Amino acid sequence: MAKQPPHRDPAQDAPHVGPPAHAAAGLPAIGHTLRMAADQMSPGRVLSTLRKVNQPDGFDCPGCAWPEPDKPHLAEFCENGAKAVAEEATERRITPEFFAAHPVAELAERSGYWLGQQGRLTTPMLLDEGAAHYTPIGWDEAFALIGAELAALDSPDEAAFYTSGRTSNEAAFAYQLFARRLGTNNLPDCSNMCHESSGSALTETLGVGKGSVSLKDLYQADLIIVAGQNPGTNHPRMLSALERAKRAGAKIVSVNPLPEAGLERFKNPQTPRGLVGGGTKLTDLFLQIRLGGDLALFRALNHLLLTTPGAVDEAFVAEHCAGYDEFAAEAADLDRPATLAATGLPWEQIEELHRLVLSSPKIIVCWAMGLTQHKHSVPTIREVVNFLLLRGNVGRPGAGVCPVRGHSNVQGDRTMGIFERPSTAFLDALGKEFAFEPPRAHGYDTVDTIRAMRDGRIRVFFAMGGNFVSASPDTDTTEAAMRRCRLTVHVSTKLNRSHVVTGARALILPTLGRTDRDVSTLGPQFVSVEDSMGIVHSSRGGLRPPAPDLLSEVAIVSRLARAALGPQDPTPWEDFARDYDLIRDRIARVVPGFDDFNAKVRRPGGFTLPHAPRDSRTFPTATGKANFTVNPLTAPDVPPGRLLLQTLRSHDQYNTTVYGLDDRYRGITGGRRVVLVNPADATELGVTDGQFVDLVSEWKDGVERRAAHFRVVHYPVARGGAAAYYPETNVLVPLDSTADISNTPTSKAVVVRLEPTA
């Protein structure tokens, strides 16, 4: 039997600090996994659930989007994936009695960790206007209430429909169809806050806003550059792929402001060498770059390649690329002092990387939010593409772009049409299939949705999964904006802060998770997801749902659509809720690459979506070719006496879901309110190791944004930078501080000062 959730809130405790680790996984990962699972489930439930994770006849892990190999291991999950499964498959339950015992004002004082530990939601709950407690409400009444609020709007554009990355393809397609049948493109999603910069840059330069490589490519690469990413915590199964690539002869370069244990050494818990031996040293060259210095690094590399005889693949450039002359002319000159200042690297290290590049015909660049959450993120990723194009490293085996996505189906949701700026081709196909004229005006992304709520232009906010309040920037502004809504609705499996920061009225609609059996009136159903490398496969849960009348996301969307659009709407919503094959048939006729969807998704391992640059070296850009771009050198402007803060995850969390209070790879245990500072910077600022400070961000609007009472930890961070965990530090990220073009919050580039805690 699972342990009871904590009555007190240990997240308020002060953290303890020890030395950071220099290797990831191994026996400690197994032990920690089993302890976390045993906290949430009985031993029999642990075994029956974990053996189905990421298996062809099982369910897709609700954690990250890293793909499964062709032949999955018996235990095809990582430590953090097991934590995600345990949190969802928990035997703890939240019933109406819980809400009767805890007023919303009390719950709002609890940490996200404590809220998440209470268990699975079981009953639709309503917080009525002026009420202190959530109370139960029937499904029909809940949908009628939402329908009435939507009908009362002056325009459909006064509603926003948010999506987290765990929503299945089938639910996402139905969800965007409902929003567009209602008449709006207000479909913000979590991509807006993480990889939007990748999509913007890749669509412009290559014509496809997704990665171009497969696992097989990683195994064939000569050089893999991992920039702005911590696989050991955020995508642990990637370490197995890097280990296999390393043993095949690949060199690995890590580019990061912090040393990360997983990239130093990997002790694979599924091999004897990993369990009892020294594991595998992964990184051949570690470049400890300053925050925001990646653009300068890749510009320097490109300059060196252009000035090295024979380094450029001239045949590829001539046949497949546009804009080369303008790019080469601008890159011919290099401001070495500015480059060194921006990167914080000695020139000898940049030259060492250049030598590795010259000796490596096949190169892959992997990245995550360390590159995507800066003001100049889109130019940075465009410069990465320039680097790969110079040597023909797009569209051939063992080479290409590899943006590593977080949420398990965030890429699939975008493919299904969850996008505030849909293409004309997608809307034309959708309108033709369902015989209606979709709205054409662009909708709101995440940042613009918050602005619209703040300004009273959004009155109904509906979230399909996720934890919008905690995931978004500028927490105080986001919470105040949410409270201006007439109605807020959250489709969720577990309790989080978004349920206690509400509009005038609020609904919690509990739903099935990935681990749960999904049985409609027609019989068992399954859903599909798309991983980070464009492979679509099925997912089938096997556990009895936490409550007998729990609805799937597909059923919730279908019943909501019927209630809001009325009986006159010709879409067969009731049939969709009964038979997901019918949704997949519609997807096959609307979304390119999904022809014969129902047959292909039933194959073990699923199928790979087409990717023109990878498959045929054709580039569906405005020029019809891969585009070189000109990206002037920029670097963050940090005044004296200030640091540039990046927000990041601890090892015991996944996005805003906090599984525990330890970050054992960084030596932090029992708490989360820490700020990692280089000892030399700390000395200059007059703060000591162990001192408690407030973090105060500085932005041109002059508003004070403060995160109080953080313990200073002397840590080997690149000079001039600092790091602290989100969501605790999201309060420091100004809403209007966003990346050019993508409008992504600049969560890796927050100028802060440290003030001793009063």
Side-chain angles (χ1 to χ4, degrees):
M1 181 64 67
K3 297 179 182 178
Q4 292 299 308
H7 292 290
R8 59 182 294 277
D9 195 339
Q12 310 300 336
D13 295 346
H16 303 282
V17 179
H22 296 283
L27 281 171
I30 294 177
H32 200 61
T33 296
L34 294 176
R35 286 193 299 273
M36 295 284 284
D39 271 351
Q40 302 283 349
M41 298 182 283
S42 63
R45 191 176 177 94
V46 170
L47 292 175
S48 65
T49 305
L50 292 183
R51 71 181 182 87
K52 288 291 188 180
V53 183
N54 294 327
Q55 299 298 326
D57 62 342
F59 61 90
D60 192 63
C61 177
C64 78
W66 190 254
E68 286 76 63
D70 292 338
K71 296 180 180 179
H73 194 277
L74 181 63
E76 189 56 53
F77 56 85
C78 65
E79 175 189 344
N80 280 356
K83 294 174 189 175
V85 170
E87 287 263 322
E88 184 178 287
T90 180
E91 293 174 275
R92 300 172 184 171
R93 301 289 181 262
I94 296 178
T95 64
E97 289 73 22
F98 171 89
F99 289 103
H102 298 284
V104 172
E106 176 199 321
L107 295 176
E109 296 300 316
R110 298 286 193 169
S111 70
Y113 169 72
W114 187 91
L115 294 173
Q117 289 295 307
Q118 303 311 303
R120 286 288 297 274
L121 295 159
T122 59
T123 308
M125 303 297 296
L126 168 67
L127 180 67
D128 219 338
E129 191 164 6
H133 292 258
Y134 276 100
T135 56
I137 185 174
W139 283 107
D140 289 341
E141 292 79 7
F143 292 129
L145 187 157
I146 302 168
E149 286 284 358
L150 292 173
L153 299 177
D154 294 331
S155 163
D157 289 326
E158 292 182 338
F161 298 93
Y162 176 75
T163 317
S164 94
R166 294 187 185 182
T167 304
S168 69
N169 288 329
E170 292 75 12
F173 185 81
Y175 191 52
Q176 63 82 28
L177 173 62
F178 160 62
R180 292 180 170 120
R181 292 294 314 222
L182 187 69
T184 185
N185 282 315
N186 288 344
L187 286 158
D189 75 329
C190 57
S191 280
N192 300 145
M193 293 185 280
C194 53
H195 267 287
E196 199 66 62
S197 297
S198 299
S200 297
L202 295 177
T203 299
E204 177 186 353
T205 56
L206 302 180
V208 178
K210 301 180 182 182
S212 67
V213 303
S214 66
L215 282 177
K216 186 178 179 181
D217 290 314
L218 279 174
Y219 306 150
Q220 297 176 354
D222 299 309
L223 175 64
I224 301 170
I225 300 175
V226 182
Q229 184 192 0
N230 175 16
T233 287
N234 300 336
H235 315 92
R237 286 190 301 127
M238 181 179 175
L239 297 179
S240 299
L242 293 178
E243 179 185 49
R244 181 170 170 180
K246 190 72 184 289
R247 294 195 175 178
K251 299 290 186 181
I252 296 175
V253 174
S254 301
V255 183
N256 207 306
L258 286 77
E260 299 291 5
L263 286 170
E264 288 187 53
R265 184 171 293 274
F266 174 48
K267 295 184 176 182
N268 191 332
Q270 303 195 46
T271 66
R273 177 185 175 91
L275 288 175
V276 298
T280 302
K281 181 179 181 294
L282 292 182
T283 294
D284 296 282
L285 175 63
F286 173 45
L287 301 183
Q288 188 165 21
I289 200 162
R290 283 182 175 163
L291 274 168
D294 304 272
L295 173 59
L297 172 63
F298 280 97
R299 278 179 54 90
L301 275 179
N302 291 337
H303 168 80
L304 292 173
L305 290 175
L306 287 165
T307 55
T308 302
V312 176
D313 187 338
E314 295 180 358
F316 173 82
V317 169
E319 181 178 356
H320 296 290
C321 299
Y324 175 77
D325 291 340
E326 295 84 352
F327 156 75
E330 198 274 343
D333 295 323
L334 180 74
D335 186 336
R336 185 179 294 194
T339 298
L340 297 180
T343 62
L345 300 172
W347 185 253
E348 292 75 18
Q349 279 199 329
I350 297 175
E351 288 183 321
E352 185 177 357
L353 176 55
H354 175 233
R355 288 191 294 271
L356 279 174
V357 169
L358 292 177
S359 64
S360 304
K362 297 173 291 185
I363 301 176
I364 291 173
V365 181
C366 305
W367 71 87
M369 290 191 290
L371 261 62
T372 66
Q373 292 183 323
H374 295 269
K375 180 174 175 56
H376 55 278
S377 285
V378 174
T380 298
I381 297 166
R382 292 191 307 215
E383 199 66 22
V384 170
V385 175
N386 288 341
F387 164 71
L388 291 168
L389 292 178
L390 277 175
R391 291 177 60 78
N393 277 312
V394 175
R396 59 191 179 92
V401 294
C402 185
V404 183
R405 309 301 298 265
H407 269 310
S408 62
N409 196 42
V410 63
Q411 188 159 294
D413 287 352
R414 180 58 58 86
T415 303
M416 291 296 105
I418 301 294
F419 191 32
E420 76 282 354
R421 293 177 284 119
S423 69
T424 299
F426 178 86
L427 293 179
D428 288 345
L430 188 72
K432 179 180 178 181
E433 176 63 26
F434 290 95
F436 80 113
E437 178 54 39
R440 302 284 170 162
H442 289 173
Y444 297 136
D445 64 9
T446 293
V447 167
D448 285 336
T449 293
I450 298 168
R451 292 168 176 156
M453 289 192 294
R454 175 198 63 192
D455 299 340
R457 291 179 281 120
I458 291 289
R459 296 167 56 195
V460 174
F461 177 84
F462 192 106
M464 183 63 68
N467 181 2
F468 187 86
V469 164
S470 292
S472 298
D474 213 336
T475 307
D476 292 344
T477 298
T478 297
E479 292 192 357
M482 191 71 75
R483 290 189 172 102
R484 291 207 65 189
C485 292
R486 280 289 308 152
L487 174 68
T488 52
V489 185
H490 294 275
V491 179
S492 306
T493 57
K494 301 194 72 183
L495 196 62
N496 62 51
R497 182 156 181 83
S498 293
H499 303 128
V500 298
V501 178
T502 72
R505 291 198 289 180
L507 283 166
I508 300 173
L509 304 181
T511 189
L512 298 178
R514 291 276 178 83
T515 57
D516 299 326
R517 284 196 302 267
D518 187 351
V519 181
S520 73
T521 56
L522 191 66
Q525 302 295 314
F526 71 89
V527 296
S528 65
V529 298
E530 178 186 346
D531 66 32
S532 193
M533 293 181 176
I535 300 172
V536 178
H537 60 89
S538 63
S539 178
R540 296 173 175 83
L543 296 178
R544 177 183 297 174
D549 64 343
L550 217 57
L551 298 181
S552 70
E553 289 182 334
V554 172
I556 288 172
V557 172
S558 298
R559 291 182 63 172
L560 168 63
R562 181 57 72 204
L565 301 176
Q568 70 276 11
D569 184 80
T571 311
W573 299 108
E574 293 80 6
D575 295 337
F576 286 172
R578 283 192 295 268
D579 187 355
Y580 300 174
D581 277 358
L582 299 179
I583 303 176
R584 286 187 281 269
D585 285 340
R586 300 301 190 103
I587 293 171
R589 294 195 287 269
V590 172
V591 183
F594 283 82
D595 52 291
D596 206 16
F597 188 9
N598 270 309
K600 291 193 293 190
V601 79
R602 284 173 162 82
R603 300 171 189 164
F607 63 99
T608 302
L609 291 174
H611 189 289
R614 177 196 65 211
D615 300 337
S616 60
R617 277 193 164 178
T618 56
F619 300 92
T621 63
T623 64
K625 293 188 175 185
N627 292 318
F628 280 96
T629 53
V630 173
N631 305 293
L633 175 61
T634 59
D637 181 18
V638 184
R642 306 298 188 259
L643 296 174
L644 197 65
L645 176 78
Q646 64 168 323
T647 70
L648 44 68
R649 296 175 182 166
S650 80
H651 188 61
D652 255 358
Q653 77 178 96
Y654 181 78
N655 289 347
T656 62
T657 302
V658 178
Y659 305 129
L661 301 177
D662 297 341
D663 189 350
R664 68 176 189 276
Y665 291 166
R666 298 190 180 105
I668 313 296
T669 59
R672 294 176 50 82
R673 298 185 80 83
V674 296
V675 56
L676 311 181
V677 183
N678 186 288
D681 287 328
T683 298
E684 289 182 2
L685 295 172
V687 294
T688 59
D689 191 24
Q691 181 179 349
F692 283 87
V693 298
D694 291 358
L695 309 179
V696 185
S697 73
E698 297 183 350
W699 175 244
K700 60 187 179 183
D701 61 6
V703 174
E704 179 180 283
R705 298 173 175 87
R706 181 179 296 264
H709 201 67
F710 279 67
R711 175 177 171 166
V712 174
V713 177
H714 286 189
Y715 199 85
V717 184
R719 289 296 307 270
Y725 303 134
Y726 69 83
E728 291 85 351
T729 50
N730 284 353
V731 66
L732 301 173
V733 184
L735 181 64
D736 294 327
S737 179
T738 60
D740 295 337
I741 302 173
S742 68
N743 207 33
T744 295
T746 59
S747 300
K748 298 293 183 286
V750 184
V751 176
V752 297
R753 66 179 186 269
L754 309 185
E755 293 185 355
T757 295

